[in-house]
Amino acid sequence: MKTAQHGKGLRYKVRWLDPEGAERSKSFPDGQLKAARDFRSKQEVDMALGDYIDPKAGKVTVAAFAKSWLADLDVDELSRQNMEMRFRKRVIPCLGKAEIGSVKPSAIRNWDRLLREDGLSDRYRHTLFGNVSAMFTAAMEDGLISKHPCRGKSVKQPKAAQKKIIPWPEARVWTVQRKLKERFRVTVDMAAGIGLRQGEVFGLAVEDVDFLRGVVHVRRQVKTVRYKHVFALPKYDKTRDVPLPEPVKLALAEHIRRFPPREITLPWDTPDGKPTMARLIVTSVRGLAVAANDFNRNYWKVALKAADVPFGRYENGMHELRHFFASVLLDQGESIKAVAEWLGHADPSFTLKIYTHLMPSSADRTKNVIGNLYGRRPETDSDGPGTAQDDQQAE
């Protein structure tokens, strides 16, 4: 006689040896003999092809794997901090509790839909998707999953639309500079005149400026990591030398005369890094290293408002001055390679992608070259109105 428990137990057990020789097993309930046989066949095929994945390996949650993966990343501490923030706010709430081996393309599609419903920009969704995709790539390399959920044919990666750069007109640059507090007006010369990033402006020391040779050595930046100011290499860990134009040289010299540099000691790269001292040219009213967020809130946006320039969280930031610097050089025919070097870009192709629309067109250059050629041509009698008649007589 059948009992109440008939058909409810795990009747079939599949046993196999994994590639390391350890015995593995999985049980199936009554009535699933075919499923058990199919599972056994799949394990045998996967091992033969070298695609074997331990069924228990993917039991770790996305949140747990993400935590260890982020901790192991070989990136600077600020980048790690920003990625941790993205995962904490935008990934873990949706995917964190799921076992990493159970995440399917449908889960990625649903996650991206929620991001769209929250009004996130395509650019930010593109960044988030890239971070999550990199995490699942690491999970595949660790043998936790056999298929990448972000690479399913039904998953559409958000595209980061490249916003066309429209450089500030000259008048706006000088107007905003006049509206800044006198102590910080030189920051405009440093960004618009030699193309420094904001952190590089605040990290430039007297010893980095060769007034005699007219060269600025960009060697460090000031940035905030874990709520603490640190010195670090410029972006991409790329130091560089930038030509120092005479007007910017004079502006720096006058600023140094009026606001003497201060010796600032900060840890290098991380909050617990080696203490490093530099005599910074631009410091706060209290003689401390300038925090970008404080400067933007208390001085930069105040100047924009006084100059009737619209602003938002990302609109018309100080980075516009670097765009202005690049646009002026390209308009005058400077090479992309040189501009990329002075901006500190890792690859000239990146510079070309951003600023190609600001370069003089080939048609305009052709007209100017040929026009200049004809402008140097000496005038002769044959150029006058009698040319056609003279030709007929010659025939």
Side-chain angles (χ1 to χ4, degrees), residues 257-341:
R257 184 187 69 81
R258 296 188 60 193
F259 307 99
R262 300 290 295 269
E263 291 188 356
I264 303 295
T265 299
L266 296 175
W268 185 263
D269 199 45
T270 61
D272 58 352
K274 181 180 179 181
T276 305
M277 189 276 290
R279 291 191 299 152
L280 299 186
I281 294 174
V282 179
T283 55
S284 71
V285 176
R286 296 164 54 195
L288 304 175
V290 178
N293 287 340
D294 293 342
F295 174 82
N296 293 337
R297 180 179 60 254
N298 299 328
Y299 301 102
W300 182 255
K301 291 183 178 180
V302 171
L304 293 180
K305 184 176 181 180
D308 292 325
V309 177
F311 61 89
R313 184 176 182 182
Y314 301 110
E315 181 184 15
N316 286 324
M318 192 174 171
H319 205 77
E320 297 293 337
L321 299 177
R322 270 170 59 88
H323 295 324
F324 175 80
F325 170 78
S327 69
V328 170
L329 295 180
L330 293 172
D331 184 63
Q332 295 300 311
E334 188 56 85
S335 72
I336 278 287
K337 186 176 184 299
V339 174
E341 177 63 28

Coordinates of all heavy atoms in Angstrom, one line a residue, residues 257-341:
R257 N 52.8 85.9 -6.0 CA 53.2 87.1 -5.2 C 52.1 87.5 -4.2 O 52.4 87.8 -3.1 CB 53.4 88.3 -6.2 CG 54.0 89.5 -5.5 CD 54.0 90.7 -6.5 NE 52.7 91.1 -6.9 CZ 51.9 91.9 -6.1 NH1 52.3 92.4 -4.9 NH2 50.7 92.3 -6.6
R258 N 50.8 87.4 -4.6 CA 49.7 87.8 -3.8 C 49.3 86.8 -2.8 O 48.8 87.1 -1.7 CB 48.5 88.3 -4.7 CG 48.8 89.5 -5.6 CD 47.5 89.9 -6.2 NE 46.5 90.3 -5.2 CZ 45.3 90.5 -5.5 NH1 44.8 90.3 -6.8 NH2 44.4 90.8 -4.6
F259 N 49.4 85.5 -3.2 CA 48.9 84.4 -2.4 C 50.1 83.4 -2.3 O 50.1 82.4 -3.1 CB 47.7 83.8 -2.9 CG 46.5 84.8 -3.2 CD1 46.3 85.2 -4.4 CD2 45.7 85.2 -2.1 CE1 45.3 86.1 -4.7 CE2 44.7 86.1 -2.3 CZ 44.5 86.6 -3.6
P260 N 51.0 83.6 -1.4 CA 52.2 82.7 -1.3 C 51.8 81.2 -1.2 O 50.9 80.9 -0.5 CB 52.9 83.2 -0.1 CG 52.5 84.6 0.1 CD 51.1 84.6 -0.4
P261 N 52.5 80.3 -1.9 CA 52.3 78.9 -1.8 C 52.4 78.4 -0.4 O 53.1 79.0 0.4 CB 53.3 78.3 -2.7 CG 53.7 79.4 -3.7 CD 53.6 80.6 -2.9
R262 N 51.7 77.3 -0.1 CA 51.7 76.8 1.3 C 52.2 75.3 1.2 O 51.9 74.6 0.2 CB 50.3 76.8 1.9 CG 49.7 78.2 2.0 CD 50.4 79.0 3.1 NE 50.3 78.4 4.4 CZ 49.3 78.7 5.2 NH1 48.4 79.6 4.9 NH2 49.2 78.2 6.4
E263 N 53.0 74.9 2.1 CA 53.5 73.5 2.2 C 52.3 72.7 2.7 O 51.8 72.8 3.8 CB 54.7 73.4 3.1 CG 55.9 74.1 2.6 CD 57.1 73.8 3.5 OE1 57.0 73.1 4.5 OE2 58.3 74.2 3.1
I264 N 51.9 71.7 1.9 CA 50.8 70.9 2.2 C 51.3 69.4 2.2 O 51.9 69.0 1.3 CB 49.6 71.0 1.2 CG1 49.1 72.5 1.1 CG2 48.5 70.1 1.5 CD1 48.5 73.0 2.4
T265 N 51.0 68.7 3.3 CA 51.3 67.3 3.4 C 50.1 66.4 3.4 O 49.2 66.6 4.2 CB 52.1 67.0 4.7 OG1 53.3 67.8 4.7 CG2 52.5 65.5 4.8
L266 N 50.0 65.5 2.4 CA 48.9 64.6 2.3 C 49.4 63.2 2.0 O 50.5 63.0 1.5 CB 48.0 65.0 1.1 CG 47.2 66.4 1.2 CD1 46.5 66.7 -0.1 CD2 46.3 66.4 2.3
P267 N 48.6 62.2 2.4 CA 49.0 60.8 2.0 C 49.0 60.6 0.5 O 48.2 61.3 -0.2 CB 47.9 60.0 2.7 CG 46.8 60.9 2.9 CD 47.3 62.2 3.1
W268 N 49.8 59.7 0.1 CA 49.9 59.5 -1.4 C 49.0 58.3 -1.8 O 49.1 57.2 -1.3 CB 51.3 59.1 -1.8 CG 51.5 59.0 -3.3 CD1 51.5 57.8 -4.0 CD2 51.6 60.0 -4.2 NE1 51.6 58.1 -5.3 CE2 51.7 59.5 -5.5 CE3 51.6 61.4 -4.1 CZ2 51.8 60.2 -6.7 CZ3 51.8 62.2 -5.3 CH2 51.9 61.6 -6.5
D269 N 48.0 58.7 -2.6 CA 47.1 57.7 -3.4 C 46.0 57.1 -2.5 O 44.9 57.0 -3.0 CB 48.0 56.6 -4.0 CG 47.2 55.9 -5.1 OD1 46.6 56.6 -5.9 OD2 47.2 54.6 -5.1
T270 N 46.3 56.7 -1.3 CA 45.3 56.2 -0.4 C 45.3 56.9 1.0 O 46.3 57.5 1.3 CB 45.5 54.7 -0.2 OG1 46.7 54.4 0.4 CG2 45.4 53.9 -1.5
P271 N 44.2 56.9 1.7 CA 44.2 57.5 3.0 C 45.3 57.1 4.0 O 45.7 57.9 4.8 CB 42.8 57.2 3.6 CG 42.0 57.0 2.4 CD 42.9 56.3 1.4
D272 N 45.8 55.9 3.8 CA 46.9 55.4 4.7 C 48.2 55.4 3.9 O 49.2 54.7 4.3 CB 46.6 54.0 5.2 CG 46.3 53.0 4.2 OD1 46.3 53.4 3.0 OD2 46.2 51.8 4.5
G273 N 48.3 56.1 2.8 CA 49.5 56.1 2.0 C 50.6 57.0 2.6 O 50.5 57.6 3.7
K274 N 51.8 56.9 2.0 CA 53.0 57.6 2.5 C 52.7 59.1 2.5 O 52.4 59.7 1.5 CB 54.2 57.3 1.7 CG 55.5 58.0 2.1 CD 56.6 57.6 1.2 CE 57.9 58.3 1.7 NZ 59.1 58.0 0.8
P275 N 53.0 59.8 3.6 CA 52.8 61.3 3.7 C 53.8 62.0 2.7 O 55.0 61.7 2.6 CB 53.2 61.7 5.1 CG 52.9 60.4 5.9 CD 53.3 59.3 5.0
T276 N 53.2 62.9 1.9 CA 54.0 63.5 0.8 C 53.7 65.0 0.9 O 52.6 65.5 1.1 CB 53.6 63.0 -0.6 OG1 53.7 61.6 -0.6 CG2 54.4 63.6 -1.6
M277 N 54.8 65.8 0.8 CA 54.7 67.3 0.9 C 54.9 68.0 -0.4 O 55.7 67.5 -1.2 CB 55.7 67.8 1.9 CG 55.5 69.3 2.3 SD 56.3 70.5 1.1 CE 58.0 70.2 1.5
A278 N 54.1 69.0 -0.7 CA 54.3 69.8 -1.9 C 53.9 71.2 -1.6 O 52.9 71.5 -0.8 CB 53.4 69.3 -3.0
R279 N 54.5 72.2 -2.2 CA 54.2 73.6 -2.0 C 53.2 74.0 -3.0 O 53.5 74.4 -4.1 CB 55.4 74.5 -2.1 CG 56.4 74.3 -0.9 CD 57.5 75.4 -0.9 NE 58.3 75.3 -2.2 CZ 58.9 76.4 -2.7 NH1 58.7 77.6 -2.1 NH2 59.6 76.3 -3.8
L280 N 51.9 73.9 -2.7 CA 50.8 74.1 -3.6 C 50.6 75.6 -3.9 O 50.6 76.4 -3.1 CB 49.5 73.5 -3.1 CG 49.6 72.0 -2.8 CD1 48.2 71.5 -2.4 CD2 50.1 71.2 -4.0
I281 N 50.3 75.8 -5.2 CA 50.1 77.2 -5.7 C 48.7 77.7 -5.3 O 48.5 78.8 -4.9 CB 50.3 77.3 -7.2 CG1 51.8 77.0 -7.5 CG2 49.9 78.6 -7.8 CD1 52.1 76.9 -9.0
V282 N 47.7 76.8 -5.4 CA 46.3 77.2 -5.1 C 45.9 76.4 -3.8 O 45.9 75.2 -3.8 CB 45.4 76.8 -6.2 CG1 43.9 77.2 -5.9 CG2 45.8 77.5 -7.5
T283 N 45.6 77.2 -2.8 CA 45.1 76.6 -1.5 C 43.8 77.3 -1.1 O 43.5 78.4 -1.7 CB 46.2 76.8 -0.4 OG1 46.5 78.1 -0.3 CG2 47.4 75.9 -0.8
S284 N 43.2 76.8 -0.1 CA 42.0 77.4 0.4 C 42.3 78.6 1.2 O 43.4 79.0 1.5 CB 41.2 76.4 1.3 OG 41.9 76.2 2.5
V285 N 41.2 79.3 1.6 CA 41.4 80.6 2.4 C 42.1 80.2 3.7 O 42.8 81.1 4.2 CB 40.0 81.2 2.6 CG1 40.1 82.4 3.6 CG2 39.3 81.6 1.3
R286 N 41.9 79.1 4.2 CA 42.5 78.6 5.4 C 43.9 78.0 5.2 O 44.5 77.5 6.1 CB 41.6 77.6 6.2 CG 40.3 78.2 6.6 CD 39.3 77.1 6.9 NE 39.9 76.2 7.9 CZ 39.4 75.0 8.2 NH1 38.3 74.5 7.5 NH2 39.9 74.2 9.1
G287 N 44.4 78.1 4.0 CA 45.7 77.5 3.7 C 45.8 76.0 3.6 O 46.9 75.5 3.8
L288 N 44.7 75.4 3.2 CA 44.6 73.9 3.1 C 44.5 73.5 1.7 O 44.2 74.4 0.8 CB 43.5 73.4 4.0 CG 43.4 73.8 5.4 CD1 42.2 73.3 6.1 CD2 44.7 73.2 6.2
A289 N 44.6 72.2 1.4 CA 44.4 71.7 0.1 C 42.9 72.0 -0.3 O 42.0 71.8 0.6 CB 44.7 70.2 0.0
V290 N 42.7 72.3 -1.5 CA 41.3 72.6 -2.0 C 40.5 71.4 -2.3 O 41.0 70.5 -3.1 CB 41.3 73.6 -3.2 CG1 39.9 73.9 -3.6 CG2 42.0 74.9 -2.9
A291 N 39.3 71.2 -1.7 CA 38.5 70.1 -2.1 C 37.6 70.5 -3.2 O 37.0 71.5 -3.2 CB 37.6 69.7 -0.9
A292 N 37.6 69.6 -4.3 CA 36.8 70.0 -5.5 C 35.4 70.3 -5.2 O 34.8 71.2 -5.7 CB 37.0 68.8 -6.5
N293 N 34.7 69.4 -4.4 CA 33.3 69.6 -4.1 C 33.0 71.0 -3.4 O 32.1 71.7 -3.8 CB 32.7 68.5 -3.3 CG 32.6 67.2 -4.1 OD1 32.5 67.2 -5.3 ND2 32.5 66.1 -3.4
D294 N 33.9 71.3 -2.5 CA 33.7 72.6 -1.8 C 34.0 73.8 -2.7 O 33.2 74.8 -2.7 CB 34.7 72.7 -0.6 CG 34.4 71.7 0.5 OD1 33.3 71.2 0.5 OD2 35.3 71.4 1.3
F295 N 35.0 73.7 -3.6 CA 35.2 74.7 -4.6 C 34.1 74.9 -5.5 O 33.7 76.0 -5.8 CB 36.5 74.4 -5.3 CG 36.8 75.4 -6.5 CD1 37.4 76.6 -6.2 CD2 36.5 75.0 -7.8 CE1 37.7 77.5 -7.3 CE2 36.7 75.9 -8.8 CZ 37.3 77.1 -8.6
N296 N 33.6 73.8 -6.0 CA 32.4 73.9 -7.0 C 31.2 74.5 -6.4 O 30.6 75.3 -7.0 CB 32.1 72.5 -7.5 CG 33.2 71.9 -8.3 OD1 34.0 72.6 -8.9 ND2 33.2 70.5 -8.4
R297 N 30.9 74.1 -5.1 CA 29.7 74.6 -4.5 C 29.9 76.1 -4.0 O 29.0 76.9 -4.2 CB 29.4 73.7 -3.3 CG 28.2 74.2 -2.5 CD 27.9 73.3 -1.3 NE 29.0 73.2 -0.4 CZ 29.8 72.2 -0.2 NH1 29.7 71.1 -1.0 NH2 30.8 72.2 0.7
N298 N 31.0 76.4 -3.4 CA 31.1 77.7 -2.8 C 31.7 78.8 -3.7 O 31.6 80.0 -3.4 CB 32.0 77.6 -1.6 CG 31.5 76.7 -0.5 OD1 30.2 76.6 -0.4 ND2 32.3 76.0 0.2
Y299 N 32.4 78.4 -4.8 CA 33.0 79.4 -5.6 C 32.7 79.3 -7.1 O 32.2 80.3 -7.7 CB 34.5 79.4 -5.4 CG 35.0 79.6 -4.0 CD1 35.3 78.5 -3.2 CD2 35.0 80.8 -3.5 CE1 35.7 78.7 -1.9 CE2 35.4 81.0 -2.1 CZ 35.7 79.9 -1.4 OH 36.1 80.1 0.0
W300 N 32.8 78.1 -7.7 CA 32.6 78.0 -9.1 C 31.1 78.3 -9.5 O 30.9 79.1 -10.4 CB 33.0 76.6 -9.6 CG 32.9 76.4 -11.1 CD1 31.9 75.7 -11.7 CD2 33.7 77.0 -12.1 NE1 32.1 75.8 -13.1 CE2 33.2 76.5 -13.3 CE3 34.8 77.8 -12.1 CZ2 33.8 76.9 -14.5 CZ3 35.4 78.1 -13.3 CH2 34.9 77.7 -14.5
K301 N 30.2 77.6 -8.8 CA 28.8 77.8 -9.2 C 28.3 79.2 -8.8 O 27.4 79.8 -9.5 CB 27.9 76.7 -8.5 CG 28.2 75.4 -9.1 CD 27.3 74.3 -8.5 CE 27.5 72.9 -9.1 NZ 26.6 71.9 -8.6
V302 N 28.9 79.8 -7.8 CA 28.6 81.2 -7.5 C 29.0 82.1 -8.6 O 28.3 83.1 -8.9 CB 29.2 81.6 -6.1 CG1 29.1 83.1 -5.9 CG2 28.7 80.8 -5.0
A303 N 30.2 81.9 -9.1 CA 30.7 82.7 -10.3 C 29.8 82.5 -11.5 O 29.5 83.4 -12.2 CB 32.1 82.3 -10.6
L304 N 29.4 81.2 -11.8 CA 28.5 81.0 -12.9 C 27.2 81.7 -12.8 O 26.7 82.3 -13.8 CB 28.2 79.5 -13.1 CG 29.4 78.5 -13.4 CD1 28.9 77.1 -13.5 CD2 30.1 79.0 -14.7
K305 N 26.7 81.7 -11.6 CA 25.4 82.4 -11.4 C 25.6 83.9 -11.6 O 24.7 84.6 -12.2 CB 24.9 82.1 -10.0 CG 23.5 82.7 -9.7 CD 23.0 82.3 -8.3 CE 21.7 82.9 -8.0 NZ 21.2 82.5 -6.6
A306 N 26.7 84.5 -11.1 CA 26.9 85.9 -11.2 C 27.1 86.3 -12.7 O 26.9 87.4 -13.1 CB 28.1 86.3 -10.4
A307 N 27.6 85.3 -13.5 CA 27.9 85.6 -14.9 C 26.7 85.2 -15.8 O 26.8 85.2 -17.0 CB 29.1 84.8 -15.3
D308 N 25.6 84.8 -15.2 CA 24.4 84.4 -15.9 C 24.6 83.2 -16.8 O 24.1 83.1 -17.9 CB 23.8 85.5 -16.7 CG 23.3 86.7 -15.9 OD1 22.7 86.4 -14.8 OD2 23.4 87.8 -16.3
V309 N 25.5 82.2 -16.3 CA 25.7 81.0 -17.0 C 25.0 79.9 -16.3 O 25.1 79.7 -15.1 CB 27.3 80.7 -17.0 CG1 27.5 79.3 -17.7 CG2 28.1 81.8 -17.6
P310 N 24.1 79.1 -17.1 CA 23.4 78.1 -16.5 C 24.3 77.0 -15.9 O 25.4 76.7 -16.5 CB 22.5 77.6 -17.6 CG 23.3 77.9 -18.9 CD 23.9 79.2 -18.5
F311 N 23.8 76.3 -14.9 CA 24.6 75.2 -14.3 C 23.7 74.2 -13.7 O 22.6 74.5 -13.3 CB 25.6 75.7 -13.3 CG 25.0 76.4 -12.1 CD1 24.7 75.7 -11.0 CD2 24.8 77.8 -12.2 CE1 24.1 76.4 -9.9 CE2 24.2 78.5 -11.1 CZ 23.9 77.7 -10.0
G312 N 24.2 73.0 -13.6 CA 23.5 71.9 -12.9 C 24.6 71.0 -12.3 O 25.7 71.4 -12.1
R313 N 24.2 69.8 -12.0 CA 25.2 68.9 -11.4 C 26.4 68.6 -12.3 O 27.5 68.6 -11.8 CB 24.5 67.6 -11.0 CG 25.4 66.6 -10.3 CD 24.7 65.3 -9.8 NE 25.6 64.5 -9.1 CZ 25.2 63.3 -8.6 NH1 24.0 62.8 -8.8 NH2 26.1 62.5 -7.9
Y314 N 26.1 68.5 -13.6 CA 27.2 68.2 -14.5 C 27.4 69.3 -15.6 O 28.3 69.2 -16.4 CB 27.0 66.8 -15.2 CG 27.0 65.7 -14.2 CD1 25.8 65.0 -14.0 CD2 28.1 65.3 -13.5 CE1 25.7 63.9 -13.1 CE2 28.1 64.2 -12.6 CZ 26.8 63.5 -12.4 OH 26.8 62.5 -11.5
E315 N 26.5 70.2 -15.6 CA 26.5 71.2 -16.7 C 27.4 72.4 -16.3 O 27.4 72.9 -15.3 CB 25.1 71.8 -16.8 CG 24.9 72.8 -17.9 CD 23.5 73.4 -18.0 OE1 22.7 73.2 -17.0 OE2 23.2 74.0 -19.0
N316 N 28.3 72.7 -17.3 CA 29.2 73.9 -17.2 C 30.1 73.8 -16.0 O 30.3 74.8 -15.3 CB 28.4 75.2 -17.2 CG 27.8 75.5 -18.6 OD1 28.5 75.3 -19.6 ND2 26.7 76.1 -18.6
G317 N 30.7 72.6 -15.8 CA 31.7 72.5 -14.8 C 33.0 73.1 -15.2 O 33.1 73.5 -16.4
M318 N 34.0 73.0 -14.4 CA 35.3 73.6 -14.7 C 35.9 72.9 -15.8 O 36.8 73.4 -16.5 CB 36.1 73.5 -13.4 CG 37.4 74.3 -13.5 SD 38.3 74.3 -11.9 CE 39.8 75.1 -12.4
H319 N 35.5 71.6 -16.1 CA 36.1 70.9 -17.2 C 35.8 71.6 -18.6 O 36.6 71.3 -19.6 CB 35.5 69.5 -17.3 CG 36.3 68.5 -18.0 ND1 37.4 67.9 -17.3 CD2 36.3 67.9 -19.2 CE1 38.0 67.1 -18.2 NE2 37.3 67.1 -19.3
E320 N 34.9 72.5 -18.6 CA 34.6 73.3 -19.9 C 35.8 74.0 -20.3 O 36.0 74.3 -21.5 CB 33.4 74.2 -19.7 CG 32.1 73.5 -19.4 CD 31.6 72.7 -20.6 OE1 32.0 73.0 -21.7 OE2 30.8 71.7 -20.3
L321 N 36.7 74.4 -19.3 CA 37.9 75.2 -19.7 C 38.9 74.4 -20.4 O 39.6 74.9 -21.2 CB 38.5 75.8 -18.4 CG 37.5 76.7 -17.6 CD1 38.2 77.2 -16.3 CD2 37.1 77.9 -18.4
R322 N 38.9 73.1 -20.1 CA 39.8 72.2 -20.9 C 39.3 72.0 -22.3 O 40.1 72.0 -23.3 CB 39.9 70.8 -20.2 CG 41.0 70.7 -19.2 CD 40.9 69.4 -18.4 NE 41.0 68.2 -19.2 CZ 42.1 67.5 -19.5 NH1 43.3 68.0 -19.2 NH2 42.0 66.4 -20.2
H323 N 38.0 72.0 -22.5 CA 37.4 71.9 -23.8 C 37.8 73.2 -24.6 O 38.1 73.2 -25.8 CB 35.9 71.8 -23.8 CG 35.5 70.4 -23.2 ND1 36.1 69.3 -23.4 CD2 34.4 70.2 -22.4 CE1 35.5 68.3 -22.8 NE2 34.4 68.8 -22.2
F324 N 37.7 74.3 -23.9 CA 38.1 75.6 -24.5 C 39.6 75.6 -24.9 O 39.9 76.0 -26.1 CB 37.8 76.7 -23.5 CG 38.3 78.1 -24.0 CD1 37.5 78.8 -24.8 CD2 39.5 78.6 -23.6 CE1 37.9 80.1 -25.3 CE2 39.9 79.9 -24.0 CZ 39.1 80.6 -24.9
F325 N 40.4 75.1 -24.1 CA 41.9 75.0 -24.4 C 42.1 74.2 -25.6 O 42.8 74.6 -26.6 CB 42.6 74.4 -23.2 CG 44.0 74.0 -23.4 CD1 45.0 74.9 -23.4 CD2 44.4 72.6 -23.6 CE1 46.3 74.6 -23.6 CE2 45.7 72.3 -23.8 CZ 46.7 73.2 -23.8
A326 N 41.5 73.0 -25.7 CA 41.6 72.1 -26.8 C 41.1 72.7 -28.1 O 41.7 72.6 -29.2 CB 40.9 70.8 -26.6
S327 N 39.9 73.4 -28.0 CA 39.3 74.0 -29.2 C 40.1 75.1 -29.8 O 40.2 75.2 -31.0 CB 37.9 74.5 -28.9 OG 38.0 75.6 -28.0
V328 N 40.7 75.9 -29.0 CA 41.6 77.0 -29.5 C 42.8 76.4 -30.2 O 43.1 76.9 -31.3 CB 42.1 77.9 -28.3 CG1 43.1 78.9 -28.8 CG2 40.9 78.6 -27.7
L329 N 43.4 75.4 -29.7 CA 44.6 74.8 -30.3 C 44.2 74.1 -31.6 O 44.9 74.3 -32.6 CB 45.2 73.8 -29.4 CG 45.8 74.3 -28.1 CD1 46.4 73.1 -27.3 CD2 46.9 75.3 -28.4
L330 N 43.1 73.4 -31.7 CA 42.7 72.7 -32.9 C 42.3 73.7 -34.0 O 42.6 73.5 -35.1 CB 41.6 71.7 -32.6 CG 42.0 70.5 -31.7 CD1 40.7 69.7 -31.4 CD2 43.0 69.6 -32.5
D331 N 41.6 74.8 -33.5 CA 41.2 75.8 -34.5 C 42.4 76.5 -35.2 O 42.3 76.9 -36.3 CB 40.4 76.9 -33.8 CG 39.8 77.9 -34.7 OD1 39.0 77.5 -35.6 OD2 40.2 79.1 -34.6
Q332 N 43.5 76.5 -34.5 CA 44.7 77.1 -35.0 C 45.6 76.1 -35.8 O 46.7 76.4 -36.2 CB 45.5 77.8 -33.9 CG 44.8 79.0 -33.3 CD 44.5 80.1 -34.3 OE1 45.3 80.5 -35.1 NE2 43.2 80.5 -34.3
G333 N 45.1 74.9 -35.9 CA 45.8 73.9 -36.7 C 46.8 73.0 -36.0 O 47.5 72.3 -36.6
E334 N 46.7 73.0 -34.6 CA 47.6 72.1 -33.9 C 47.2 70.7 -34.1 O 46.0 70.4 -34.3 CB 47.5 72.5 -32.4 CG 48.5 71.8 -31.5 CD 50.0 72.0 -32.0 OE1 50.6 73.0 -31.6 OE2 50.5 71.2 -32.7
S335 N 48.2 69.8 -34.0 CA 47.9 68.4 -34.3 C 47.2 67.7 -33.1 O 47.3 68.1 -32.0 CB 49.2 67.6 -34.6 OG 49.9 67.5 -33.3
I336 N 46.4 66.7 -33.5 CA 45.7 65.9 -32.5 C 46.7 65.3 -31.5 O 46.4 65.2 -30.3 CB 44.8 64.8 -33.1 CG1 43.5 65.5 -33.6 CG2 44.5 63.7 -32.2 CD1 42.5 65.8 -32.5
K337 N 47.8 64.8 -32.0 CA 48.8 64.1 -31.2 C 49.3 65.1 -30.1 O 49.4 64.7 -28.9 CB 49.9 63.6 -32.1 CG 51.0 62.8 -31.3 CD 52.0 62.2 -32.2 CE 53.0 61.3 -31.5 NZ 53.7 62.0 -30.4
A338 N 49.6 66.3 -30.5 CA 50.1 67.3 -29.5 C 49.0 67.6 -28.5 O 49.3 67.7 -27.3 CB 50.6 68.5 -30.3
V339 N 47.8 67.9 -29.0 CA 46.7 68.2 -28.1 C 46.5 67.1 -27.1 O 46.3 67.3 -25.9 CB 45.4 68.6 -28.9 CG1 44.3 68.8 -27.9 CG2 45.7 69.8 -29.7
A340 N 46.5 65.9 -27.6 CA 46.3 64.7 -26.7 C 47.4 64.6 -25.6 O 47.1 64.3 -24.4 CB 46.2 63.4 -27.5
E341 N 48.6 64.9 -26.0 CA 49.7 64.9 -25.1 C 49.6 65.9 -24.0 O 49.8 65.7 -22.8 CB 51.0 65.0 -25.8 CG 52.3 65.1 -24.9 CD 52.5 63.8 -24.2 OE1 52.1 62.7 -24.7 OE2 53.1 63.8 -23.1

